[in-house]
Amino acid sequence: MSESPPNRAKCEISFQVNGKLVAVRTYAMDRLLDVLREQLGLTGTKEGCGEGECGSCSVLVDGVLVNSCLVPVLQAKDAKITTIEGLAEGARLHALQQAFLDCGGAQCGICTPGMILAAFHLLSKKPQPTTEDIREGLSGNLCRCTGYAQIVEAVAEVGRRGTGG
Amino acid sequence: MSTGGIIGRSVPRLEGRDKVTGQARYVDDITLPGMLFGATVRSRIPRGKIAKVTFGPGVDWDEFVIVSAKDIPGKNCIALIDDDEPCLADGTVNHPEEPILLLAHPDRRLLPQAVEAVSVEYEPLPAIFNIEESEQQSQIIWGTDNVFKSYLIEKGDIDAVWEEADYIVEGEYTTGAQEQLYIENNGMIAAFDPQQGVTVWGSMQCPYYVHKSLVKLFNLPGERVRVVQTETGGAFGGKEDYPSVIAGHAALLAMKSGRPVKIAYDRIEDMAATTKRHPSRTRHRTAVSKDGKVLGGEIEFTIDGGAYETLSPVVLSRGAIHAGGVYSWPAIRIRAKAVATNTPPQGAFRGFGAPQSLFALERHMDRIAKVLQLSPVEIRRRNFLKPGETTTTGQTVNEAVDLGKLLDRAMQLSDYSAKKERFARENKVSTRKKGIGITSFLHGAGFTGSGERYLSSVVGVEGCADGSVRVLVSSTEFGQGTNTVLCQIVAEALKVRYEDVSIARPDTQEVPNSGPTVASRTVMVVGKLVQSAALGIRHTLEGCGLLGATYSAEEFRAAVRAYVAKNGEFRSLAHYEQPEDIVWDEQKYRGSAYAAYAWAVYVAEVTVDLTSYSVSVEDFVALQEVGRVLHPVLAKGQIMGGVAQGIGFALYEKVIWEKGRMQNGQMTNYIIPTSADLAPIRVYFEELGNVHGAYGAKGIGELPMDGPAPAVINAVEDALGVPFNSIPLLPEDIFDALTNKRELSHVTGDHR
C-alpha cells in the first residue's frame, strides 16, 4: 500500500477504462492498481509483489504494458486503460483467453490476467511471434505454477491463427 | 485400459473461465461491509523475553483495535501436531518474525505506520541459527535437546557390510531453504458473531486444519467454527499450515472489534514470516562391491525446522523414507532428525522432505560411479529395485515397474550417450562447457504409513434438484486441477456429461472432511472415494427403479430429479478404508510406507558459460510412470511446473539468512525462473495403472520436484568435472570452486 498522508487533498482524475469514461476522487499518488481494484471494483488486476517484479498487476495504458503497482493514478489522467475485464466481448472470450483455457495456460489463475495482457501486448507488436519472442516477451510476468510452456504454447497458437488483435 | 469415456481426455478446467476473465474471487478481492484491515506486530529479535511494550506517539491509538495474547479465549496455540507454536507471543519470543500484537483499522494505509510505532523492549537471549549450532546444544531452545523428532530405519545387518566392501564411498550434501512463492500472498477475512461463532474465508489448502486450530484457539464447539476456502492463487505446501495462523489472528481482531477483519500479507511480510522448505544436511556412507553393487549404507538425514515443531516430524518422515530412493539396499541404517533453530518455522513445500534426501542420494550415486569409474547410468541400472524386492522400510515392490526400461527410454529420448560423448570432446576447446545429468527416483502417494487410516477421509456426491450432481469434498483447488479431475471422475463413474457435474466450494459447514490437500493424495485417494460415492448415487437410483442398466445423460438427470422431488436431500458418502495389504508399524518404522509410488527418470542438459559462470538448462526430459493419466494437459502442467521449481531449487533460489531473518524477501532479490530462463521441458508418461487410485491414477503433484535438482547438478559436474554438493548453486559458487580447483578433493572414495 502507498502511504498517502491524509492531510493532502484528494483530486478528481478521469480516464477511460475498457472503453468507458470514469472519474475518481483520489490522491494523485495513489497507485493505479488500488484505484482500479478498490474504487472501480476491477479486481481482475492482481497484486503479487508491489514492486514491479511479478507483472500480475499488468494493464495497458494507451497501449503500453505497465505494472499498475508502480503507476501513480495521476499519470493515467485522460489515458485509455485496458484491464482483463475489457478483453472478452460479452460472453465471447478473446482468442488468448480461449487458448489459455485450451492449452492449460492458467493453473492457479493469479498471474493469468497480467500474463494475458502481456501476451495481448506482445501480439499487438508482433502478431506472429516465435517461441523465443514469446519467452522473451513474457519474461516480465512471473508464473509459479506452469513452468511457462503451456502459456507459451497458448500464445503461439493464437499467433499462428492470427486472431490475437 | 481405455473406457472410451471422459477419463484421459483434457476437458476444460472447471473454474478456468473465471480465471482467464478476471472474475475469479481471491481473498483480497473480497470486501465485507464495515470491514477493518489487520496487521501484525512482530518480534525483531531472534530470541528473548518481552520486557515492555510501548505505543508510541504520532498515532491515534483510540482508532485502533489491539489484540494481545491475553485476548485469546481458548488455548494460545496453532493446533497441528503438538500444538507448540503460540498464536501470539506471551512473554517470550523464539524467532525474529514471531507475532506479538495485532492491530486493526478501517484504513489499511494507516497500518504500516502504526506497526512501526509500537516499540517492544526485550531482554535478549542467545540464539542459534543452523543445524550445527542446534546440535552443539550450547543453547537449548526446544525440549531437552533441540530435537523435534528423530527416526531410525533399519534393514539387514549394516554393521557386517563394511568388511566385505571393495569401496566405501562417503559424501555430505546440503540444500537451502526455498520459498514456495505462490503469486497470491497469504490472506484471510474473519467475522465473529457471539451466537454463530467464528467464520473465516481465505486462501488455503486445508480447511479442516484451520477449523481444528480455531476450535482450540476460541474454545468453541466445532459447529460454531466455519472455514471457507476462497479461490487460491498457488500454494505448493505454503498454505498447508500457515493459514491457521492468519485465520486465528483475523478472527481474534474480529471478535474484539465486532466487525469483519481482513489480513492480507504483502509480499515482504509473506516471504519474511511464512514457512519455507526445510534446509537439510545429508551424510552418506556406502559400501560397494567392485562390480558396482551397493552392499549397504548409512544415511544421516537432518533438517532445520525453525523455532517450532509445526509439521517437521512428517516432513522428516517422508524425507527419511525416500532417502534410499529407487535402489535395492541389502542393508541400510537411516537416522533422521529434525532440529530447532531461532528462525521462523519451516514447513511444507512440494516434495515434503523428499527433494532434500533425494538430492543427496542422486548426487551420491554419481559420486559412487566416479569412484568405481562406472557411468552414472550403469551404477543406477545395477542397483535398481525390482518387483518382489523390498524398500528400505521392508515394503515389497508389487507394482510391475521396470526401472531399467524407463532408464533406456529416458536415455533414448534425451540422446544421452551421444551427447555425453560429444560434450566431452567439445568441452576441451570451448568456454561454454556442456554437460548431461541423469536421476532416477520415486515419490510415494498419499499420507505416509497409517496416515490415511488416521485421516479417515469422507467424501460426498450429491444429486441436485435440477438433476445435476455435485461433489462434496474439503479438497481444495489451488491450480493443480482438483475441481476438474474430481468432476471428471464422477462424470465417468456415472456415465454423464462433464457439464452435468459441479463441485461445492470447500466450506466446513457444507462439505465432509476429505482430508488435507497435500501429499499427492487428492486424485489417488480422494478421487477413488469420489468414484465410489458416485457409484452409490447410481446404485440408489437403480435400486428404486428410476434408472435402468443403460441410460442417456438426460435419463440420468431425470432420474435424479425424480428422486430428489420424492425424497429430498440425496447424498451418497464414501469413507476411506485402508487396503488390507497396506500394513505399517509406526514403532519400528517398517512396512508399507505408501499404497503406491510414482517412478521417474529425468535427464538434464546444461551449459556452463565460463565467462559469466552461469548455468543454463538447455534441454530437460522428464519421463515418469504415474499410473493412469486422467487429464493429459493438467498432468503435463503439473510435471512442467514442478520441474521449473526444481530447477529454481538447484540454480536460482537462495534464501539469505541473517540472525534468523530472511534478508532477501522480495521478488527483486529472491530469484525464480522466468519464461526466458527455461528451455522446453519435455514430458513423457508411462502408464501402468494402480489398483489403489481412481481409474488407475497415482499421485503426481510432488514427484516432479524431486528429480530436477540432482539431474541439473549432475549435469554441471559432467560439464566441469568438479562436484558440487550444495544447492542452490549460484554463479559465484562455481567461480569460487573453479578458481580454487586445486584445493578441492576430486573424489573422496576410499579404495580398500
Side-chain angles (χ1 to χ4, degrees):
Chain A
M1 293 301 300
S2 57
E3 290 172 58
S4 304
N7 58 351
R8 200 168 291 167
K10 287 187 176 180
C11 56
E12 186 167 295
I13 296 170
S14 61
F15 45 85
Q16 271 191 39
V17 182
N18 301 327
K20 202 173 123 198
L21 188 66
V22 296
V24 290
R25 273 201 72 73
T26 177
Y27 299 108
M29 290 303 287
D30 273 0
R31 306 184 304 177
L32 176 59
L33 171 65
D34 297 329
V35 173
L36 289 172
R37 287 175 55 82
E38 292 167 15
Q39 295 206 37
L40 300 173
L42 297 170
T43 54
T45 304
K46 306 299 182 189
E47 174 165 358
C49 68
E51 55 176 355
E53 282 291 332
C54 75
S56 293
C57 64
S58 300
V59 299
L60 296 167
V61 177
D62 288 332
V64 177
L65 187 71
V66 301
N67 290 312
S68 62
C69 73
L70 297 183
V71 176
V73 64
L74 183 64
Q75 215 173 316
K77 188 169 178 287
D78 300 330
K80 287 181 178 152
I81 296 171
T82 305
T83 71
I84 191 66
E85 289 90 348
L87 231 52
E89 283 177 41
R92 215 179 97 232
L93 295 180
H94 186 273
L96 274 167
Q97 293 170 315
Q98 188 62 49
F100 267 62
L101 273 185
D102 296 341
C103 299
Q107 287 192 22
C108 84
I110 197 84
C111 78
T112 307
M115 194 68 82
I116 288 178
L117 286 167
F120 180 88
H121 179 254
L122 173 72
L123 291 176
S124 72
K125 303 281 166 206
K126 203 158 203 168
Q128 288 176 312
T130 64
T131 300
E132 279 315 299
D133 293 335
I134 300 168
R135 289 190 174 277
E136 200 56 45
L138 299 183
S139 63
N141 289 69
L142 297 176
C143 168
R144 190 56 152 168
C145 293
T146 62
Y148 305 101
Q150 290 173 325
I151 291 171
V152 173
E153 191 189 327
V155 179
E157 179 62 27
V158 175
R160 268 196 299 278
R161 292 203 307 253
T163 49
Chain B
M1 237 187 289
S2 170
T3 56
I6 195 173
I7 293 296
R9 267 173 49 203
S10 294
V11 296
R13 174 180 282 278
L14 196 76
E15 77 293 349
R17 198 181 168 91
D18 284 347
K19 285 176 171 173
V20 299
T21 54
Q23 299 305 309
R25 305 274 280 168
Y26 301 80
V27 65
D28 203 23
D29 302 336
I30 297 166
T31 303
L32 298 181
M35 189 174 81
L36 307 181
F37 295 90
T40 312
V41 177
R42 299 178 183 281
S43 166
R44 282 293 173 248
I45 66 161
R47 185 169 173 234
K49 292 198 167 75
I50 298 171
K52 193 178 168 198
V53 176
T54 316
F55 294 88
V59 173
D60 186 351
W61 292 107
D62 291 342
E63 291 181 357
F64 285 81
V65 181
I66 301 168
V67 160
S68 72
K70 288 197 297 289
D71 295 301
I72 295 171
K75 187 177 173 190
N76 181 7
C77 73
I78 306 301
L80 201 58
I81 296 173
D82 280 336
D83 302 353
D84 70 321
E85 182 181 20
C87 177
L88 288 170
D90 192 3
T92 60
V93 291
N94 285 306
H95 68 81
E97 303 292 345
E98 186 142 6
I100 298 173
L101 291 176
L102 304 167
L103 309 176
H105 193 277
D107 185 351
R108 77 199 285 184
R109 291 152 215 271
L110 299 181
L111 286 162
Q113 194 193 338
V115 168
E116 284 303 310
V118 178
S119 70
V120 182
E121 288 170 40
Y122 306 93
E123 292 163 20
L125 290 165
I128 53 177
F129 301 112
N130 56 44
I131 289 172
E132 287 70 29
E133 289 175 8
S134 185
E135 286 176 327
Q136 283 159 14
Q137 299 187 10
S138 61
Q139 296 295 318
I140 299 296
I141 65 160
W142 201 93
T144 56
D145 56 3
N146 291 338
V147 177
F148 291 127
K149 188 77 185 178
S150 60
Y151 298 107
L152 175 64
I153 297 172
E154 284 186 299
K155 178 190 173 188
D157 185 359
I158 186 65
D159 297 320
V161 303
W162 310 109
E163 273 305 304
E164 49 181 301
D166 297 310
Y167 297 87
I168 295 172
V169 184
E170 296 184 35
E172 180 174 310
Y173 309 88
T174 61
T175 63
Q178 186 186 18
E179 164 61 36
Q180 295 89 354
L181 215 86
Y182 33 73
I183 308 289
E184 182 211 23
N185 292 312
N186 269 290
M188 286 283 168
I189 297 172
F192 186 87
D193 179 285
Q195 268 74 51
Q196 285 170 8
V198 177
T199 305
V200 299
W201 300 262
S203 186
M204 67 183 82
Q205 290 177 237
C206 312
Y208 277 96
Y209 280 8
V210 177
H211 185 268
K212 172 182 164 182
S213 191
L214 291 173
V215 162
K216 265 204 183 142
L217 188 69
F218 283 85
N219 193 26
L220 283 172
E223 63 273 16
R224 288 176 65 202
V225 172
R226 179 181 174 199
V227 180
V228 186
Q229 184 221 10
T230 51
E231 200 71 63
T232 296
F236 316 114
K239 294 172 184 172
E240 177 169 349
D241 61 322
Y242 205 86
S244 299
V245 177
I246 311 181
H249 290 173
L252 288 168
L253 284 166
M255 183 184 69
K256 189 142 182 189
S257 65
R259 292 165 69 173
V261 175
K262 179 194 281 186
I263 298 181
Y265 284 2
D266 65 11
R267 180 61 56 186
I268 291 175
E269 184 169 24
D270 194 294
M271 287 181 86
T274 72
T275 65
K276 294 172 185 44
R277 184 183 303 289
H278 290 68
S280 78
R281 182 195 68 203
T282 309
R283 291 175 175 146
H284 273 268
R285 182 165 186 255
T286 313
V288 190
S289 72
K290 59 178 180 298
D291 60 351
K293 288 288 277 184
V294 167
L295 304 172
E298 284 187 299
I299 305 173
E300 195 192 297
F301 176 59
T302 310
I303 60 174
D304 173 352
Y308 297 107
E309 182 190 75
T310 62
L311 287 168
S312 288
V314 272
V315 172
L316 181 72
S317 162
R318 187 173 280 269
I321 289 168
H322 284 71
V326 288
Y327 307 109
S328 177
W329 297 83
I332 197 163
R333 181 182 292 136
I334 301 168
R335 290 181 192 279
K337 67 174 188 241
V339 300
T341 59
N342 295 111
T343 62
Q346 311 295 358
F349 188 169
R350 195 178 204 166
F352 211 67
Q356 291 97 313
S357 63
L358 282 168
F359 170 76
L361 176 68
E362 286 301 297
R363 285 295 298 131
H364 192 64
M365 292 307 284
D366 267 31
R367 179 179 289 232
I368 295 172
K370 208 163 183 177
V371 172
L372 271 70
Q373 297 182 313
L374 281 172
S375 78
V377 167
E378 207 44 45
I379 193 72
R380 287 175 170 80
R381 190 189 300 282
R382 291 183 194 183
N383 290 287
F384 276 148
L385 269 172
K386 291 174 196 64
E389 294 181 340
T390 57
T391 65
T392 56
T393 63
Q395 178 173 8
T396 303
V397 177
N398 53 18
E399 304 180 38
V401 65
D402 184 343
L403 287 160
K405 223 174 95 190
L406 271 188
L407 183 69
D408 289 338
R409 188 173 170 210
M411 287 174 67
Q412 186 206 341
L413 290 165
S414 61
D415 200 12
Y416 179 90
S417 302
K419 277 184 176 168
K420 193 164 170 74
E421 188 269 328
R422 178 160 62 83
F423 295 163
R425 200 172 60 237
E426 291 175 356
N427 281 348
K428 288 177 188 145
V429 292
S430 176
T431 57
R432 289 170 58 79
K433 310 284 188 196
K434 287 175 146 295
I436 192 160
I438 198 158
T439 52
S440 42
F441 57 99
L442 78 179
H443 198 93
F447 260 42
T448 304
S450 307
E452 291 294 343
R453 189 157 56 81
Y454 292 131
L455 280 178
S456 192
S457 299
V458 182
V459 311
V461 172
E462 180 177 35
C464 305
D466 67 353
S468 67
V469 286
R470 198 163 75 120
V471 182
L472 305 170
V473 290
S474 64
S475 306
T476 49
E477 168 69 54
F478 39 87
Q480 349 78 300
T482 300
N483 289 346
T484 306
V485 176
L486 293 183
C487 289
Q488 211 179 354
I489 288 168
V490 169
E492 177 76 22
L494 298 177
K495 307 288 177 208
V496 299
R497 291 176 297 234
Y498 173 65
E499 294 74 22
D500 289 339
V501 186
S502 66
I503 189 164
R505 177 154 291 288
D507 173 343
T508 55
Q509 223 165 60
E510 284 279 319
V511 300
N513 186 354
S514 61
T517 309
V518 303
S520 307
R521 65 185 292 277
T522 301
V523 172
M524 188 176 101
V525 179
V526 179
K528 183 94 174 175
L529 290 174
V530 163
Q531 180 186 353
S532 141
L535 289 175
I537 291 275
R538 199 165 108 189
H539 292 152
T540 302
L541 293 174
E542 283 169 359
C544 62
L546 286 167
L547 204 63
T550 59
Y551 53 85
S552 68
E554 267 319 314
E555 285 164 346
F556 185 89
R557 285 190 76 114
V560 172
R561 273 197 302 270
Y563 187 95
V564 176
K566 188 171 170 218
N567 305 292
E569 189 178 88
F570 182 18
R571 285 187 171 186
S572 162
L573 298 182
H575 301 254
Y576 180 79
E577 281 170 39
Q578 185 107 329
E580 275 176 20
D581 57 338
I582 305 298
V583 180
W584 178 252
D585 182 337
E586 182 68 24
Q587 297 308 312
K588 296 190 178 125
Y589 244 61
R590 309 237 10 107
S592 298
Y594 301 97
Y597 294 84
W599 311 84
V601 178
Y602 283 6
V603 185
E605 178 188 329
V606 304
T607 299
V608 188
D609 183 337
L610 289 190
T611 54
S612 64
Y613 295 90
S614 62
V615 180
S616 54
V617 178
E618 310 279 353
D619 186 29
F620 200 99
V621 167
L623 169 66
Q624 46 261 306
E625 194 289 302
V626 295
R628 181 94 188 276
V629 175
L630 304 191
H631 189 300
V633 165
L634 289 179
K636 267 181 87 172
Q638 282 298 292
I639 302 300
M640 292 190 286
V643 169
Q645 290 176 351
I647 291 172
F649 184 41
L651 294 176
Y652 299 105
E653 301 182 31
K654 181 166 187 154
V655 176
I656 299 165
W657 298 101
E658 174 69 31
K659 297 203 183 323
R661 171 174 291 155
M662 184 179 187
Q663 296 298 295
N664 56 328
Q666 290 170 266
M667 285 188 178
T668 310
N669 46 19
Y670 181 84
I671 306 301
I672 64 168
T674 71
S675 54
D677 297 320
L678 292 172
I681 296 155
R682 298 193 278 144
V683 178
Y684 304 92
F685 293 110
E686 298 264 335
E687 300 178 64
L688 287 177
N690 165 32
V691 294
H692 299 295
Y695 297 105
K698 291 178 188 171
I700 64 167
E702 294 171 285
L703 174 82
M705 188 74 222
D706 295 346
V712 166
I713 306 301
N714 287 348
V716 172
E717 179 172 3
D718 185 49
L720 299 176
V722 179
F724 293 95
N725 298 318
S726 240
I727 51 170
L729 179 67
L730 297 172
E732 48 267 41
D733 304 317
I734 297 176
F735 175 82
D736 281 350
L738 294 186
T739 43
N740 302 316
K741 192 170 174 181
R742 276 193 214 110
E743 293 162 34
L744 276 180
S745 64
H746 252 253
V747 162
T748 58
D750 177 17
H751 190 199
R752 291 160 59 96

